[in-house]
Amino acid sequence: MRNLIDITDLTVQEIDELIATACDIIANPDKYCDACRRKKLATLFFEPSTRTRLSFEAAMLELGGSVLGFSEANSSSASKGESVADTVRVVGCYADIIAMRHPKEGAPMVASMHSPVPIINAGDGGHNHPTQTLTDLLTIHREKGHFDNLTVGLCGDLKFGRTVHSLIHALSRYTGIHFVLISPEELSLPSYIIHDVLEKKGMSYEETQDLEAVMPKLDILYMTRVQRERFFNEADYIRLKDSYILTLDKLKNAKEDLCILHPLPRVNEIATSVDNDSRACYFKQAHNGKYIRMALILKLLGVEV
Amino acid sequence: MRNLIDITDLTVQEIDELIATACDIIANPDKYCDACRRKKLATLFFEPSTRTRLSFEAAMLELGGSVLGFSEANSSSASKGESVADTVRVVGCYADIIAMRHPKEGAPMVASMHSPVPIINAGDGGHNHPTQTLTDLLTIHREKGHFDNLTVGLCGDLKFGRTVHSLIHALSRYTGIHFVLISPEELSLPSYIIHDVLEKKGMSYEETQDLEAVMPKLDILYMTRVQRERFFNEADYIRLKDSYILTLDKLKNAKEDLCILHPLPRVNEIATSVDNDSRACYFKQAHNGKYIRMALILKLLGVEV
Amino acid sequence: MRNLIDITDLTVQEIDELIATACDIIANPDKYCDACRRKKLATLFFEPSTRTRLSFEAAMLELGGSVLGFSEANSSSASKGESVADTVRVVGCYADIIAMRHPKEGAPMVASMHSPVPIINAGDGGHNHPTQTLTDLLTIHREKGHFDNLTVGLCGDLKFGRTVHSLIHALSRYTGIHFVLISPEELSLPSYIIHDVLEKKGMSYEETQDLEAVMPKLDILYMTRVQRERFFNEADYIRLKDSYILTLDKLKNAKEDLCILHPLPRVNEIATSVDNDSRACYFKQAHNGKYIRMALILKLLGVEV
């Protein structure tokens, strides 16, 4: 039995296998439609997240399994003071696999130590969200065909954005990656990631505040939300916010095959006019999220198709 | 691909077909029990409505499909500021058809302009609720066998009651209908409906405040709730409220085959002593709501049985 | 058609049959996996209870049926003032059986008087929770092989603990049971249960405040939560609370085959160090809850396997 708590729980080979399975599911959905018959997924969402929850549920349903769970903590026993350990021991009697979202960092890890069934971390506070990273990787792979030798722009809030941190961790295991870190100074990538990941592994990277200047070189552009409350003062926010809103105008010098990603939900950081551009991949990305979760559920349940 | 946003999106012929399908489902449920195998319905309820949501879910389950979604907005990405357009683009990756309830008028219409899958309006504010109208029509058809030449009483809050407005729209396309509009003056039918629907189409109608006086002529009596907060003053409310509560006593001069409808939930506008009268059709109506939604899902998904 | 509102609705023979069915399901799950195909369970939870709701849902899913419902009242029509009677009449159009949890005592009983489909009381206020009692009985039966001639310790809050009251009712129908009532004086078993059940039926019992003193004689130890707010004053609470927390140390003179039960969720009334002791049966109990509910659903739906 295995869990997925952190993206680094998976080896590069395991990630490659998950991506291969996801691609096979996309090509041959009929082959998988009864793969999890009589299996049950519990979605234990101690904080709400529609997109993530529904993608897990759709994944299990398309594998022929079924779903139960809760979508917010006040419908759960947690409000009666039950520990996460006890909750998963009990839910493990009712389901074959658990996807858990929790506001507290580490909760899914604790859960995995007591659960009789596999635990998938569906996001724990600002910490980890490994199935988002798998989604990002599958999308890059489907759009580019490979991970090596890509110039990857990461734009917006690089300080608090956990999806960015995880993606850097994951891509740093491939070769020839050049990271372009695009953010206001206040929201730049934390130094522990620069030192412990990028420099330790000898990764190529550059930092800039100017999205348009670096646009022509990018193969991937990963956008994130710049939240007003992250800024120290309103003046900085107003001065900077528009620089990190992607528009068709800012894309005019971009590569023809640039791949634009966003973990969603978006507020206004990508203009809706970009949506119909062939380089906009963020809705494809949401779709891919379902397929990689199908692959992950199969792997953790040990189901061979 | 088609959506259902407003009852007038459907032609008379399409409504007739939906009713015919619903009647066939009622007669031959086994024929339909796998019709939507591997199809998924998303119920996106940005405001709660148990009855409507459960009837959609039961409909999809009885067609052999499955269901995912949320039952209130604070469990959804809407609380993170996502637009309805983005939500349906993403949920369209996870489901084959979407039933949406939204407090804002027009939200399902906007959704339908961006969704990759069919959208059913499951109620948008005080605006439209077309599946309720289809439910009402199926019930009238099953009880009376036809729509023409009926005397239809509409009683209670005709000013704000959207189900009444939709039903008038729908029935105004048949011939020989006579509407009896029974309400306190404060809650009478808005003049734009009187002019734009009834008078423009040359429909026969009368207005009255006296339910008992018109009772003997009615073939259909559609009751709605008279809410205290709709009145300008308490004195009027107290003076009028009992006139619009249906009791066995008020039914003593009604036709033997009167058909009493109510969109439910009821608070006290029909006395529970009426429930066992053979003319009470409002629980049958709730049952019919499931069957007409089954027919609608089949039609919008293009499933032939 | 039958309902389960109170554990005493069932005869001893019916309980024996349910236990026999549950044991057969455990031994031969494949036999039952399509038993409720095309049947739907509605879980109407007017107050949240994850554990109970998920165990009902898992039960129905493992029988091949499907599930719909709501997990708290503010997602329901109840918030619009609908009566429980109307709710079940409508939901009875959408589901084949209803499990109802309600904060008001007697609500499931009222529901059963109006519902077109079987009602299972999944807990009504401090009143009844018969499927918990069935769970307890199945666990005792699986651990001990019989109900007769057992010494049963009930520990903690015997005044307000409804699961304890129901279990006493249920066990008082077997022979040779000796009850050991272990509680602080403030939380002792109400005299109406002592008189109307224990003394009327000539049951053997003793009352004590000292858990450790009676430990050696117990075959069953049923732990419940001692809630701070039940005490008249803080000093009593502090003086007494630790006496009713089960630890490995307090178990040192217990029988080798003692069976420790707890209805869960637990807060701190059993130390987690006890969890790995072979006498700890409370997680098995949670598992059994699913199987006895499967048996109950089959019985109430009249499904023969």
Side-chain angles (χ1 to χ4, degrees):
Chain A
M1 204 269 301
R2 283 279 308 279
N3 307 289
L4 178 60
I5 306 303
D6 185 301
I7 190 68
T8 58
D9 291 351
L10 296 169
T11 64
V12 168
Q13 195 196 323
E14 285 174 317
I15 288 176
D16 289 349
E17 286 166 7
L18 285 172
I19 288 174
T21 303
C23 291
D24 193 55
I25 292 169
I26 293 165
N28 309 290
D30 291 359
K31 223 172 96 181
Y32 293 87
C33 75
D34 280 320
C36 287
R37 198 171 106 75
R38 297 181 56 189
K39 301 285 185 189
K40 287 180 261 87
L41 166 71
T43 50
L44 306 188
F45 275 57
F46 291 88
E47 69 178 3
S49 175
T50 314
R51 181 182 318 287
T52 304
R53 182 172 59 82
L54 294 188
S55 71
F56 270 111
E57 297 189 7
M60 192 52 158
L61 293 170
E62 293 195 16
L63 291 167
S66 51
V67 178
L68 41 73
F70 52 84
S71 57
E72 43 178 336
N74 67 354
S75 309
S76 84
S77 298
S79 58
K80 295 178 189 164
E82 184 175 64
S83 70
V84 162
D86 276 17
T87 299
V88 297
R89 263 182 286 209
V90 171
V91 174
C93 303
Y94 306 148
D96 301 285
I97 185 165
I98 293 172
M100 175 184 288
R101 178 112 177 185
H102 204 286
K104 270 202 207 138
E105 294 183 10
M109 167 63 87
V110 171
S112 71
M113 293 161 61
H114 295 93
S115 174
V117 302
I119 299 282
I120 301 172
N121 180 359
D124 58 335
H127 202 218
N128 281 301
H129 190 8
T131 58
Q132 178 65 51
T133 307
L134 288 174
T135 299
D136 301 341
L137 293 173
L138 174 59
T139 309
I140 293 171
H141 194 272
R142 291 189 73 196
E143 298 300 318
K144 295 297 176 189
H146 60 92
F147 293 117
D148 298 319
N149 306 313
L150 293 171
T151 296
V152 179
L154 303 163
C155 178
D157 178 357
L158 307 187
K159 186 169 181 185
F160 298 100
R162 66 178 167 188
T163 58
V164 164
H165 302 177
S166 279
L167 188 59
I168 289 172
H169 269 285
L171 286 176
S172 70
R173 306 200 285 189
Y174 297 91
T175 59
I177 301 281
H178 177 65
F179 288 110
V180 184
L181 309 171
I182 310 149
S183 76
E185 211 182 327
E186 292 93 328
L187 297 177
S188 62
L189 198 66
S191 60
Y192 71 88
I193 295 181
I194 290 189
H195 292 123
D196 293 0
V197 185
L198 297 179
E199 300 197 337
K200 204 172 202 173
K201 299 197 176 181
M203 303 300 294
S204 166
Y205 76 94
E206 65 188 288
E207 294 188 275
T208 179
Q209 298 190 25
D210 190 344
L211 173 59
E212 287 186 83
V214 296
M215 188 67 84
K217 69 171 88 166
L218 302 179
D219 297 307
I220 307 288
L221 172 56
Y222 198 99
M223 298 296 296
T224 64
R225 204 178 334 158
V226 174
Q227 293 173 278
R228 181 185 295 243
E229 59 271 29
R230 300 300 195 193
F231 283 83
F232 297 125
N233 65 68
E234 186 76 5
D236 281 352
Y237 173 73
I238 288 167
R239 179 174 54 82
L240 288 166
K241 70 181 170 69
D242 286 349
S243 323
Y244 303 101
I245 293 179
L246 188 64
T247 58
L248 281 176
D249 193 55
K250 289 205 187 83
L251 280 170
K252 65 179 184 296
N253 295 316
K255 286 186 183 174
E256 282 294 305
D257 64 349
L258 171 67
C259 167
I260 305 167
L261 301 178
H262 189 296
L264 305 179
R266 130 181 93 173
V267 177
N268 67 347
E269 53 277 13
I270 302 178
T272 56
S273 55
V274 175
D275 294 356
N276 294 319
D277 191 287
S278 64
R279 293 167 288 195
C281 296
Y282 31 94
F283 292 118
K284 288 188 203 172
Q285 194 182 355
H287 213 140
N288 288 329
K290 177 178 72 183
Y291 295 115
I292 199 73
R293 287 179 178 99
M294 291 172 76
L296 180 65
I297 290 169
L298 289 172
K299 180 185 170 62
L300 295 181
L301 287 177
V303 175
E304 301 279 344
V305 176
Chain B
M1 204 270 299
R2 282 280 309 279
N3 307 289
L4 178 62
I5 305 304
D6 186 301
I7 190 69
T8 58
D9 292 351
L10 296 168
T11 64
V12 167
Q13 196 195 322
E14 286 174 316
I15 288 177
D16 289 349
E17 287 166 8
L18 286 171
I19 288 174
T21 303
C23 291
D24 193 54
I25 293 169
I26 293 166
N28 308 290
D30 290 359
K31 221 171 98 181
Y32 293 87
C33 74
D34 280 321
C36 287
R37 197 171 107 75
R38 296 180 57 190
K39 301 285 185 190
K40 288 183 260 82
L41 166 72
T43 49
L44 306 188
F45 275 57
F46 291 88
E47 69 177 4
S49 175
T50 315
R51 179 182 320 286
T52 303
R53 182 172 58 82
L54 295 188
S55 72
F56 270 110
E57 298 189 7
M60 191 52 157
L61 293 170
E62 293 195 16
L63 291 166
S66 52
V67 178
L68 40 72
F70 52 84
S71 57
E72 44 177 338
N74 66 354
S75 309
S76 84
S77 297
S79 58
K80 295 178 189 164
E82 183 175 63
S83 70
V84 161
D86 276 17
T87 299
V88 297
R89 263 183 286 209
V90 171
V91 175
C93 303
Y94 306 147
D96 301 286
I97 186 166
I98 293 172
M100 175 184 288
R101 178 108 174 189
H102 204 286
K104 269 203 206 136
E105 294 183 10
M109 167 64 86
V110 171
S112 72
M113 293 162 61
H114 296 92
S115 174
V117 302
I119 299 282
I120 302 171
N121 180 358
D124 58 335
H127 201 217
N128 279 302
H129 189 8
T131 58
Q132 179 64 51
T133 308
L134 288 174
T135 300
D136 301 341
L137 292 172
L138 174 59
T139 309
I140 293 171
H141 193 273
R142 291 189 73 197
E143 297 300 319
K144 295 297 176 189
H146 60 91
F147 294 118
D148 299 319
N149 305 314
L150 293 171
T151 296
V152 179
L154 302 163
C155 177
D157 178 357
L158 308 188
K159 186 170 182 184
F160 299 100
R162 65 180 168 186
T163 57
V164 164
H165 301 176
S166 280
L167 188 59
I168 289 172
H169 269 284
L171 287 176
S172 70
R173 306 200 285 188
Y174 297 92
T175 58
I177 301 282
H178 177 65
F179 289 110
V180 184
L181 308 171
I182 310 150
S183 76
E185 210 182 329
E186 292 94 328
L187 297 177
S188 63
L189 198 66
S191 61
Y192 70 88
I193 295 180
I194 290 188
H195 291 123
D196 293 0
V197 184
L198 297 180
E199 299 196 338
K200 205 172 201 172
K201 299 197 175 181
M203 303 300 294
S204 166
Y205 75 93
E206 64 188 286
E207 293 187 276
T208 179
Q209 298 191 24
D210 189 344
L211 172 59
E212 288 187 80
V214 296
M215 187 68 85
K217 69 171 88 165
L218 303 178
D219 297 308
I220 307 288
L221 172 56
Y222 197 98
M223 297 296 297
T224 65
R225 204 178 335 157
V226 174
Q227 293 174 277
R228 180 185 296 243
E229 59 270 31
R230 300 299 195 194
F231 283 83
F232 298 124
N233 66 68
E234 186 75 5
D236 281 351
Y237 174 72
I238 289 167
R239 179 174 54 82
L240 288 167
K241 71 181 169 70
D242 287 349
S243 323
Y244 304 102
I245 293 178
L246 188 63
T247 57
L248 281 176
D249 193 54
K250 290 204 185 87
L251 280 170
K252 64 180 187 295
N253 295 318
K255 286 186 183 174
E256 283 293 305
D257 63 348
L258 171 67
C259 166
I260 305 167
L261 301 178
H262 188 296
L264 304 180
R266 130 180 94 172
V267 177
N268 68 347
E269 53 277 13
I270 302 177
T272 55
S273 55
V274 175
D275 294 357
N276 294 320
D277 190 288
S278 64
R279 291 167 289 192
C281 296
Y282 30 95
F283 291 118
K284 288 188 203 173
Q285 193 180 357
H287 213 140
N288 287 330
K290 178 177 71 182
Y291 295 115
I292 200 73
R293 288 179 177 99
M294 291 172 77
L296 180 65
I297 290 168
L298 289 172
K299 179 185 171 64
L300 295 181
L301 287 176
V303 175
E304 301 279 344
V305 177
Chain C
M1 204 269 300
R2 282 280 309 277
N3 307 289
L4 178 61
I5 305 304
D6 185 302
I7 191 68
T8 58
D9 292 350
L10 296 168
T11 64
V12 168
Q13 195 195 322
E14 286 174 317
I15 288 176
D16 288 350
E17 287 167 6
L18 286 172
I19 288 173
T21 303
C23 291
D24 193 54
I25 293 170
I26 293 165
N28 308 290
D30 291 359
K31 221 172 97 181
Y32 293 88
C33 76
D34 281 320
C36 288
R37 199 172 106 74
R38 295 179 59 189
K39 301 286 186 189
K40 289 181 260 85
L41 166 72
T43 49
L44 306 188
F45 275 56
F46 291 88
E47 69 177 3
S49 175
T50 314
R51 179 181 321 284
T52 303
R53 182 171 59 83
L54 295 187
S55 72
F56 270 110
E57 297 190 7
M60 191 50 157
L61 293 170
E62 294 195 16
L63 291 166
S66 51
V67 177
L68 40 73
F70 52 83
S71 56
E72 44 178 338
N74 67 353
S75 309
S76 84
S77 297
S79 58
K80 295 178 187 164
E82 184 175 65
S83 70
V84 161
D86 276 17
T87 298
V88 297
R89 262 182 287 208
V90 170
V91 174
C93 303
Y94 305 148
D96 302 285
I97 185 165
I98 294 171
M100 175 183 288
R101 178 111 175 185
H102 204 287
K104 270 204 205 135
E105 295 183 10
M109 167 63 88
V110 171
S112 71
M113 292 161 62
H114 295 93
S115 174
V117 301
I119 299 282
I120 301 172
N121 181 359
D124 58 335
H127 201 218
N128 279 302
H129 189 9
T131 58
Q132 179 64 51
T133 308
L134 287 175
T135 299
D136 301 342
L137 293 173
L138 173 60
T139 309
I140 293 170
H141 193 272
R142 291 190 73 198
E143 297 301 318
K144 296 296 176 191
H146 60 92
F147 294 117
D148 298 320
N149 306 314
L150 293 171
T151 296
V152 179
L154 303 163
C155 178
D157 178 357
L158 307 188
K159 186 169 182 186
F160 298 101
R162 66 178 167 188
T163 57
V164 164
H165 302 177
S166 279
L167 188 58
I168 290 172
H169 270 283
L171 287 176
S172 70
R173 306 200 283 189
Y174 297 91
T175 58
I177 301 281
H178 176 66
F179 288 110
V180 184
L181 309 171
I182 310 149
S183 76
E185 210 181 327
E186 292 93 328
L187 298 177
S188 63
L189 197 66
S191 60
Y192 71 88
I193 295 179
I194 291 188
H195 291 125
D196 293 359
V197 184
L198 297 180
E199 300 197 337
K200 205 173 201 170
K201 298 196 177 183
M203 303 300 294
S204 166
Y205 74 95
E206 65 188 287
E207 293 186 277
T208 178
Q209 297 190 26
D210 190 344
L211 173 59
E212 288 186 80
V214 296
M215 187 68 83
K217 69 173 89 164
L218 302 178
D219 298 308
I220 307 287
L221 173 56
Y222 198 98
M223 297 296 298
T224 64
R225 202 174 341 153
V226 173
Q227 293 173 278
R228 180 185 296 243
E229 59 270 31
R230 299 301 196 194
F231 282 83
F232 297 126
N233 66 70
E234 187 74 6
D236 281 352
Y237 174 72
I238 289 167
R239 179 173 53 82
L240 289 167
K241 71 182 168 70
D242 287 348
S243 325
Y244 303 102
I245 293 178
L246 188 64
T247 57
L248 281 176
D249 193 55
K250 290 205 185 87
L251 279 170
K252 64 179 187 295
N253 295 317
K255 286 187 183 173
E256 283 293 305
D257 64 348
L258 171 67
C259 167
I260 305 167
L261 301 178
H262 189 296
L264 305 179
R266 130 180 92 173
V267 177
N268 67 347
E269 53 276 12
I270 301 178
T272 55
S273 56
V274 175
D275 295 356
N276 294 318
D277 191 287
S278 64
R279 292 166 287 193
C281 296
Y282 30 95
F283 292 118
K284 288 188 205 172
Q285 194 181 357
H287 213 141
N288 288 330
K290 178 177 71 183
Y291 295 114
I292 200 73
R293 287 178 177 99
M294 291 172 77
L296 180 65
I297 290 168
L298 289 172
K299 180 185 170 65
L300 294 181
L301 287 177
V303 174
E304 301 279 344
V305 175

